[in-house]
């Protein structure tokens, strides 16, 4: 929204000056192209994050060089040839190098330069992490140290070796060129990071966004503003159309077979999301991403966005996989994300209220009303009691009043993974107070299908029942109906359904405390997840993103780590191959023994019915069928 400054000559000179300085820095930073080599960050991530510092990452330069040139190439990255002395060097290299061979990048018996022996002799590491002497003039791919540290948001106890949001150290700068754009990024122990990339021009309120056409040198080293959030939740700006790229692999060529699948992150307007997907199609190959294997993923309101994208004509063709975690699809509070209003309905139900609350109702002239709303303070506009936060049928990005699941309307025929938490609703409802009679009426209307649990605590029993009805009504029934219609009409390339029955609630959002966390008992200071507790909305996020390390949160019992590994392995497998069952060959080569053993013992996730993600896993048919039918949310809802 800052266009008013554009005419200021002084500022303009300043901006041009900055842009030149940045362009020079981007050029000085090692591009994969200036090194004439692909760069891959190797990290043996078993999610046991308190042990990460014993498994330092390394940088692999794929182009063969002699040992002198190898050493120079590492120094161009402000690193040196990889030390062989880390505690798990042999274990880590066994798996990392086997994986390079599995991917077809190098032969299994390939040797790679590492640091010289104590007497100065040239050395290389090969299969099974074996270090051998090598002729200094040989040309081999190169392993360099990777000294940038871990970064963390820091909520729990942060280990000493880790940095909390470190200042950007220019020595870890890395450059990427894509078309006429160049990007300055950075790296940490886990990935190369290009943060806060503007994919669209700074937007104007109530207008469609356009693909970025600003200065060609982009400083992508720090997060940019999130969008303004409803209800005054947190800071934010309307100038928020930025995306972040995290990648372990940067390539010299964008046609390379080594490109990785792509998962995007965001929850903005549908049109803005389509703009972001267009940006991904144009530029992601330069960041090592494969534009033919893009998966859109969202949880809660994010899943509602994915649902809208599945039926959005301009989005069709821009992605090939979709993950919907706890989609608010159903009746009651999720109705607006299930049945989209047309513009005149939205005007009646929402716009008129907004006009009145903002004082923009002083005129009947629509143009004047619009300019009044455009001038209104953005943080106040999203903090009034009436907000427009669901898709509207605009005829361009959203053209149908619901996702057309009978095959008769626009639909992205992609691979889909969808599911819910067993007790999504337990984080959405409140503890019973005087609402009991209302609940009794609903229970009566469904003819005994929702019996009151007979525990020792009546308050908890009523809460449990309300949570069950809430989960069915707001999340589960119509997520299942979505899947059933997709199957019945063969709409999707593949379809996978899950229900989580083990969860790890966000530590900064845990409503109805302590309902969503396991009971604390002797020996289990963080709760015993094998006991009963509500598996609430958002209890899947740390697991699906493998991000307990970012929050510095502990594993609560012995089963937690292998469970977290299994969930992440399944999600990553879907994103790679559209099947949440990773291949046994893949698990073997990567050293992912826990997931391997789990698949052997507990079987694979079947394409029909639900996989119950817990310890142990099991499969089941559709859940709550009779209850859903009684709630008028049957499997046949979408035809
Ligand atoms: C890039 O942005 C970071 C963070 O705002 C800043 O510290 C750094 O100086 C910038 N670099 C250049 C070359 O502009
Ligand atoms: C993490 O690794 C350490 C060292 O191998 C081990 O002692 C610990 O039990 C592991 N943590 C979990 C949660 O398995
Ligand atoms: C290594 O390669 C560089 C560049 O090709 C060359 O100049 C140098 O002589 C080589 N050194 C050895 C020891 O082979
Ligand atoms: C950069 O490339 C885009 C699309 O490839 C093009 O539309 C734009 O005009 C180019 N900008 C400049 C400054 O060359
Ligand atoms: C949002 O509205 C609430 C209640 O009216 C108020 O307390 C709060 O300060 C407002 N927040 C912002 C950012 O204006
Ligand atoms: C998604 O992007 C936001 C905003 O840039 C960032 O704060 C957040 O950490 C990202 N989420 C994940 C899961 O990476
Ligand atoms: C909007 O409200 C007006 C006045 O009450 C009514 O005549 C009209 O039918 C409503 N339109 C829709 C689409 O609900
Ligand atoms: C605008 O809305 C406010 C709040 O509902 C109301 O008090 C006022 O009369 C309305 N003004 C006009 C001109 O309709
Ligand atoms: C019953 O459960 C509620 C909700 O967890 C709790 O607040 C209350 O203390 C419990 N009552 C008893 C007697 O344990
Ligand atoms: C809720 O009630 C059901 C049925 O009695 C029971 O199986 C379940 O364990 C209860 N949930 C919790 C979190 O106590
Ligand atoms: C379901 O719909 C039927 C018929 O329209 C109605 O009689 C019944 O009350 C509805 N049940 C619920 C729980 O809304
Ligand atoms: C789906 O197909 C099955 C088998 O043909 C049928 O029994 C069922 O009624 C269909 N369900 C829906 C929702 O159309």
């Amino acid at each position: 929204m800052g266009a008013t400054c554009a005419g200021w000559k002084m500022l303009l000179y300043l901006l041009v000056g900055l842009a030149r300085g940045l362009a020079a820095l981007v050029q000085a930073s090692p591009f994969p192209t200036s090194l004439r080599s692909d760069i891959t960050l190797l990290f043996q991530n078993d999610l046991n994050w308190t042990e990460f510092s014993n498994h330092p990452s390394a940088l692999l330069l794929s182009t063969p060089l002699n040992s002198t040139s190898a050493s120079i190439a590492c120094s161009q990255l402000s690193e040196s040839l990889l030390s062989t002395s880390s505690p798990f060097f042999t274990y880590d290299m066994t798996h990392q190098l086997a994986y390079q061979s599995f991917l077809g990048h190098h032969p299994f018996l390939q040797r790679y330069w590492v640091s010289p022996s104590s007497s100065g002799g040239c050395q290389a590491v090969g299969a099974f992490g074996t270090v051998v002497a090598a002729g200094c003039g040989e040309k081999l791919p190169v392993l360099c140290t990777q000294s940038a540290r871990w970064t963390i948001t820091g909520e729990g106890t942060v280990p000493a070796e880790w940095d909390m949001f470190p200042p950007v150290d220019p020595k870890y700068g890395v450059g990427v060129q894509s078309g006429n754009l160049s990007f300055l990024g950075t790296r940490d122990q886990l990935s190369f990071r290009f943060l806060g990339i503007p994919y669209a021009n700074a937007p104007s309120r109530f207008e469609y966004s356009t693909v970025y056409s600003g200065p060609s040198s982009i400083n992508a080293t720090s997060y940019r503003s999130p969008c303004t959030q409803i209800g005054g939740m947190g800071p934010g700006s309307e100038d928020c159309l930025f995306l972040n790229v995290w990648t372990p692999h940067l390539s010299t060529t964008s046609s390379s077979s080594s490109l990785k699948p792509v998962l995007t992150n965001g929850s903005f307007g549908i049109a803005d999301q389509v703009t972001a997907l267009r940006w991904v199609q144009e530029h992601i190959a330069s960041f090592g991403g494969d534009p033919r294997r893009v998966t859109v993923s969202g949880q809660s309101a994010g899943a509602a966005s994915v649902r809208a994208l599945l039926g959005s004509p301009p989005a069709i063709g821009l992605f090939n996989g979709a993950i919907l975690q706890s989609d608010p699809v159903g009746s009651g509070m999720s109705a607006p994300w299930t049945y989209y209003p047309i513009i005149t309905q939205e005007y009646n139900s929402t716009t008129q209220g907004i006009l009145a609350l903002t004082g923009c109702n002083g005129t009947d002239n629509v143009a004047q009303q619009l300019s009044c709303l455009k001038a209104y303070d953005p943080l106040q506009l999203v903090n009034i009691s009436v907000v427009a936060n669901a898709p509207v049928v605009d005829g361009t990005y959203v053209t149908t009043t619901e996702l057309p699941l009978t095959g008769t309307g626009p639909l992205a025929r992609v691979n889909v993974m969808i599911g819910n938490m067993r007790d999504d609703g337990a984080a959405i409802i409140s503890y019973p107070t005087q609402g009991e009679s209302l609940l009794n009426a609903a229970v009566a209307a469904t003819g005994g299908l929702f019996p009151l649990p007979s525990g020792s605590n009546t308050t908890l029993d009523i809460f449990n029942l309300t949570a069950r009805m809430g989960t069915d009504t707001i999340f589960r029934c119509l997520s299942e109906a979505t899947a059933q219609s997709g199957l019945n009409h063969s709409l999707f390339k593949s379809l996978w359904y899950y229900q989580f029955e083990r969860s790890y609630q966000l530590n900064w959002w845990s409503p109805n405390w302590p309902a969503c966390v396991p009971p604390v008992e002797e020996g289990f200071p963080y709760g015993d997840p094998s006991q009963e507790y509500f598996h609430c909305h958002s209890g899947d996020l740390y697991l699906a993103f493998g991000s307990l390390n970012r929050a510095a949160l502990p594993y609560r019992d012995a089963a937690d780590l292998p469970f977290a590994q299994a969930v992440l392995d399944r999600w990553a497998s879907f994103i790679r191959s559209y099947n949440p069952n990773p291949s046994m060959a893949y698990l073997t080569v990567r050293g992912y023994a826990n997931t391997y053993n789990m698949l052997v013992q507990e079987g694979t996730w079947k394409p029909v019915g639900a996989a119950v993600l817990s310890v142990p896993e099991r499969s089941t048919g559709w859940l709550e069928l009779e209850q859903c039918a009684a709630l008028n949310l049957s499997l046949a809802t979408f035809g």
Side-chain angles (χ1 to χ4, degrees):
M1 304 299 292
T4 49
C5 307
W8 289 71
K9 228 177 186 178
M10 280 290 288
L11 188 67
L12 206 62
Y13 284 130
L14 190 67
L15 286 174
V16 172
L18 276 181
R20 285 209 190 109
L22 179 61
L25 198 90
V26 170
Q27 274 150 25
S29 298
F31 284 77
T33 42
S34 70
L35 282 171
R36 294 202 184 77
S37 176
D38 288 9
I39 312 178
T40 306
L41 192 148
L42 306 183
F43 177 58
Q44 185 66 20
N45 187 355
D46 66 355
L47 295 183
N48 187 348
W49 62 266
T50 52
E51 299 294 312
F52 274 8
S53 54
N54 287 327
H55 303 264
S57 60
L59 296 171
L60 168 60
L61 309 182
S62 58
T63 304
L65 299 171
N66 67 32
S67 68
T68 313
S69 301
S71 180
I72 292 169
C74 290
S75 66
Q76 284 179 294
L77 291 162
S78 309
E79 301 291 350
S80 47
L81 286 168
L82 183 66
S83 156
T84 59
S85 66
S86 66
F88 295 96
F89 178 84
T90 307
Y91 174 86
D92 291 350
M93 282 301 139
T94 297
H95 292 295
Q96 288 298 327
L97 300 183
Y99 185 46
Q100 291 304 310
S101 139
F102 180 82
L103 290 170
H105 295 178
H106 298 283
F108 185 69
L109 293 177
Q110 178 68 53
R111 290 166 303 135
Y112 305 77
W113 288 121
V114 291
S115 64
S117 67
S118 52
S119 58
C122 292
Q123 295 192 120
V125 62
F128 307 110
T130 312
V131 177
V132 291
C136 301
E138 283 190 69
K139 291 197 166 178
L140 303 177
V142 185
L143 286 169
C144 307
T145 53
Q146 197 304 105
S147 59
R149 308 211 302 173
W150 283 272
T151 46
I152 194 171
T153 49
E155 295 166 34
T157 309
V158 182
E161 309 84 2
W162 293 34
D163 285 330
M164 290 180 62
F165 288 131
V168 178
D169 189 335
K171 86 179 193 194
Y172 300 127
V174 57
V176 156
Q177 182 80 39
S178 179
N180 52 22
L181 299 180
S182 58
F183 301 87
L184 173 63
T186 182
R187 64 176 190 259
D188 74 354
Q189 278 282 345
L190 292 174
S191 65
F192 300 108
R193 303 149 65 87
F194 296 84
L195 308 175
I197 295 173
Y199 62 86
N201 294 311
S204 295
R205 197 179 297 172
F206 310 133
E207 289 178 20
Y208 291 127
S209 52
T210 52
V211 172
Y212 178 80
S213 61
S216 61
S217 293
I218 294 165
N219 181 351
T221 54
S222 61
Y223 292 109
R224 301 286 293 271
S225 176
C227 297
T228 41
Q229 301 290 315
I230 285 160
M233 265 167 47
S237 161
E238 285 174 289
D239 187 1
C240 63
L241 302 187
F242 303 101
L243 52 76
N244 309 313
V245 177
W246 297 269
T247 176
H249 177 77
L250 293 171
S251 180
T252 45
T253 57
S254 50
S255 58
S256 155
S257 60
S258 66
L259 297 179
K260 304 284 185 192
V262 178
L263 183 75
T264 63
N265 160 35
S267 178
F268 317 122
I270 304 306
D272 297 338
Q273 294 172 12
V274 172
T275 306
L277 287 171
R278 288 194 178 119
W279 185 97
V280 167
Q281 285 298 314
E282 186 167 344
H283 295 293
I284 206 63
S286 304
F287 293 86
D290 185 346
R292 292 159 306 175
R293 277 191 297 163
V294 173
T295 292
V296 293
S297 159
Q299 181 260 0
S300 196
S305 288
V306 173
R307 189 180 189 88
L309 287 172
L310 280 171
S312 174
I316 294 172
L318 300 180
F319 60 96
N320 195 32
I323 303 177
L324 299 88
Q325 296 174 218
S326 300
D327 185 10
V329 62
S331 58
M333 65 188 279
S334 53
W337 292 286
T338 311
Y339 301 103
Y340 311 134
I342 60 171
I343 285 177
T344 46
Q345 285 168 339
E346 178 79 354
Y347 181 80
N348 276 10
S349 67
T350 309
T351 314
Q352 284 184 337
I354 293 175
L355 288 169
L357 288 166
T358 52
C360 290
N361 59 346
T363 167
D364 283 340
N365 180 308
V366 174
Q368 282 172 18
Q369 290 175 342
L370 192 61
S371 59
C372 175
L373 285 180
K374 280 193 169 197
Y376 205 79
D377 179 272
L379 293 176
Q380 299 300 324
L381 188 60
V382 294
N383 195 30
I384 57 178
S385 59
V386 181
V387 288
N389 64 347
V392 178
V393 179
D394 66 352
T396 305
Y397 288 92
V398 181
T399 59
T400 54
T401 56
E402 64 188 84
L403 188 62
L405 286 162
T406 53
T408 55
L411 189 82
R413 294 176 178 251
V414 298
N415 301 277
V416 173
M417 186 158 91
I418 178 170
N420 56 273
M421 307 302 296
R422 186 191 68 180
D423 309 308
D424 261 313
I428 307 294
I429 59 167
S430 37
Y431 273 123
T433 45
Q434 76 282 63
E436 288 178 39
S437 53
L438 196 72
L439 181 72
N440 287 340
V443 170
T446 53
L449 285 167
F450 289 97
L452 187 68
S454 53
S456 57
N457 182 332
T458 311
T459 310
L460 211 51
D461 289 341
I462 294 172
F463 178 77
N464 185 332
L465 178 57
T466 316
R468 178 180 177 183
M469 296 184 90
T471 304
D472 286 350
T473 307
I474 302 169
F475 300 98
R476 181 165 33 220
C477 295
L478 292 195
S479 288
E480 291 186 335
T482 298
Q484 180 65 59
S485 288
L487 288 170
N488 272 26
H489 301 285
S490 305
L491 296 180
F492 300 115
K493 289 183 185 164
S494 68
L495 185 68
W496 308 88
Y497 201 97
Y498 67 82
Q499 168 163 294
F500 271 93
E501 294 193 3
R502 178 179 269 244
S503 56
Y504 203 131
Q505 193 65 22
L506 297 175
N507 68 346
W508 52 270
W509 190 75
S510 191
N512 299 318
W513 181 268
C516 305
V517 300
V520 173
E521 288 170 1
E522 203 184 330
F524 297 93
Y526 304 100
D528 177 358
S530 68
Q531 304 293 314
E532 256 302 5
Y533 63 106
F534 291 97
H535 304 302
C536 296
H537 197 60
S538 298
D540 50 342
L541 291 173
Y542 288 136
L543 300 163
F545 286 105
S547 58
L548 279 167
N549 62 310
R550 289 193 41 149
L553 289 171
Y555 292 103
R556 301 161 298 184
D557 70 353
D560 243 359
L561 177 61
F563 180 65
Q565 291 170 333
V567 172
L568 186 59
D569 287 341
R570 287 195 173 295
W571 254 244
S573 182
F574 178 84
I575 292 159
R576 274 196 315 276
S577 64
Y578 306 119
N579 183 336
N581 301 296
S583 76
M584 293 317 211
Y586 174 89
L587 294 171
T588 304
V589 81
R590 301 229 65 180
Y592 295 163
N594 290 334
T595 303
Y596 184 100
N597 292 334
M598 185 202 75
L599 287 181
V600 168
Q601 281 158 26
E602 294 161 26
T604 54
W605 181 343
K606 309 284 187 310
V608 177
V612 174
L613 303 181
S614 186
V615 181
E617 275 195 4
R618 58 178 209 279
S619 41
T620 173
W622 295 130
L623 297 150
E624 298 282 279
L625 278 188
E626 287 180 289
Q627 287 77 7
C628 290
L631 292 167
N632 288 340
L633 300 168
S634 81
L635 266 190
T637 299
F638 296 116

